[in-house]
Amino acid sequence: MSGDQKTVIKGGPSQYVKLNVGGHLFYTTIGTLTKTENTMLKAMFGGGMEVLTDSEGWILIDRCGKHFGVILNFLRDGSVALPESSRGISELHAEAKYYCILDLADFCDRALQNKQKEPEPICRVPLITSQKEEQLLISSSQKPVVKLLINRHNNKYSYTHTSDDNLLKNIELFDKLSLRFSGRILFIKDVIGSSEICCWSYYGNGRRVAEVCCTSIVYAATQKHTKVEFPEARIYEETLQILLYEDRNIPDQELLQATASVRGIGTGISTYTSDEEEVPLALRLKHSNS
């Protein structure tokens, strides 16, 4: 850039200098930068080589400045908290090697070796703690989302043998689907919602496109009961349908209309409640084509 020039830094350990490292700005002393022997920074700021400065006096270093603050803290204290992710540690390791800060590079090496020994879960299922968190997860996900709401504490729930069994079947199917499609769909679980007892919701491009409610009303002699059912075929069908949104692009409208007609809906959210009679998919396809 115009006005940039090369110069040799001269000054005592207490003198402050301004650093521009890949667009990240830092303000530190020459003593910190030259504290460790045989490093690139020692050579640059100990008067052993020229550095590039701009017209405002910022010393320009053509490296990524993302982890330079960590490097400065290591020079100051001799120890530092490393990034949590393996990628972050690898990035810091590369910078430490560039600046020839061998102790920090060795520290990163040991941390990476320990990371390799730690088991990495293949499938992660977030457990929602608030409605705000749920909205953030759904809106920021690059994958379509399947949410299962399970709420046995709902006061409408009837503790019958059949309901308990069907509730467990829904949970088991959710676990199986989350393992099978973990790389393609974000599965989340909600145990704090109070409006439903057992409900599947499907989201594409940040909006809800389908729902399978697994409860029905049963009228006894004296009162009505809400029981849980297990519409397995419908759950599988909606899970496969949500894969249309996998690439974050809006699916082809003709394809959406075709699948919507098969599911017996028009535009908007596809819903299913267990009060409806479940018709096999092949039979519904036959009727839709006739």
Side-chain angles (χ1 to χ4, degrees):
M1 294 177 61
S2 177
D4 293 353
Q5 59 181 352
K6 290 186 176 182
T7 185
V8 175
I9 300 298
K10 296 180 180 179
S14 61
Q15 179 179 328
Y16 276 84
V17 290
K18 303 185 297 183
L19 307 178
N20 183 339
V21 185
H24 293 72
L25 305 181
F26 301 91
Y27 194 56
T28 188
T29 65
I30 292 178
T32 295
L33 296 168
T34 59
K35 190 173 184 179
T36 303
E37 296 292 335
N38 302 320
T39 67
M40 175 75 72
L41 295 173
K42 173 74 173 180
M44 292 173 64
F45 296 94
M49 60 186 294
E50 291 183 334
V51 297
L52 186 66
T53 62
D54 65 11
S55 58
E56 296 181 356
W58 288 92
I59 300 168
L60 307 177
I61 300 179
D62 187 20
R63 295 290 296 182
C64 177
K66 179 179 178 181
H67 300 288
F68 194 76
V70 179
I71 289 175
L72 289 179
N73 286 334
F74 184 83
L75 293 175
R76 294 180 182 117
D77 304 326
S79 63
V80 75
L82 297 179
E84 292 185 2
S85 67
S86 296
R87 178 176 179 176
I89 297 174
S90 296
E91 292 171 350
L92 178 60
H93 180 256
E95 296 305 303
K97 288 184 65 177
Y98 174 80
Y99 293 112
C100 301
I101 307 174
L102 301 183
D103 289 344
L104 179 56
D106 291 342
F107 189 22
C108 292
D109 270 331
R110 292 193 297 271
L112 287 172
Q113 290 173 7
N114 292 333
K115 282 281 186 182
Q116 292 175 355
K117 297 177 183 178
E118 296 176 0
E120 272 297 318
I122 298 173
C123 177
R124 297 176 183 268
V125 178
L127 189 64
I128 294 171
T129 60
S130 67
Q131 188 175 10
K132 182 178 180 181
E133 182 185 36
E134 173 187 333
Q135 294 171 350
L136 182 61
L137 280 170
I138 293 171
S139 61
S140 62
S141 175
Q142 297 298 310
K143 307 174 186 177
V145 178
V146 174
K147 183 189 77 170
L148 175 63
L149 186 152
I150 293 290
N151 182 19
R152 289 187 61 186
H153 304 289
N154 189 305
N155 57 14
K156 297 185 298 183
Y157 181 69
S158 302
Y159 290 89
T160 64
H161 171 73
T162 304
S163 291
D164 282 338
D165 186 52
N166 284 333
L167 193 64
L168 288 174
K169 287 180 179 178
N170 278 283
I171 296 173
E172 288 172 358
L173 180 58
F174 178 83
D175 292 341
K176 290 178 181 178
L177 291 174
S178 62
L179 287 172
R180 181 176 180 183
F181 296 107
S182 62
R184 305 174 65 183
I185 298 174
L186 172 63
F187 289 85
I188 59 180
K189 190 175 289 186
D190 183 359
V191 296
I192 63 172
S194 59
S195 59
E196 298 288 348
I197 298 169
C198 180
C199 185
W200 297 70
S201 299
Y202 300 83
Y203 300 84
N205 296 341
R207 64 183 183 89
R208 190 174 63 175
V209 296
E211 184 179 274
V212 177
C213 182
C214 303
T215 57
S216 64
I217 304 298
V218 177
Y219 291 91
T222 57
Q223 60 181 343
K224 64 179 182 179
H225 297 282
T226 303
K227 71 173 184 178
V228 178
E229 295 190 354
F230 179 50
E232 183 177 11
R234 186 63 172 169
I235 295 168
Y236 267 114
E237 181 180 356
E238 292 297 350
T239 302
L240 295 176
Q241 296 282 5
I242 203 65
L243 288 172
L244 292 172
Y245 294 85
E246 188 175 7
D247 60 359
R248 290 289 290 182
N249 294 322
I250 298 176
D252 182 85
Q253 291 302 313
E254 292 184 1
L255 180 58
L256 283 179
Q257 291 175 4
T259 56
S261 64
V262 169
R263 294 140 84 188
I265 63 171
T267 58
I269 298 174
S270 167
T271 60
Y272 168 84
T273 63
S274 55
D275 290 321
E276 302 173 10
E277 182 180 0
E278 193 166 353
V279 181
L281 178 60
L283 184 59
R284 280 184 275 124
L285 283 169
K286 179 179 179 182
H287 286 314
S288 65
N289 293 328
S290 60

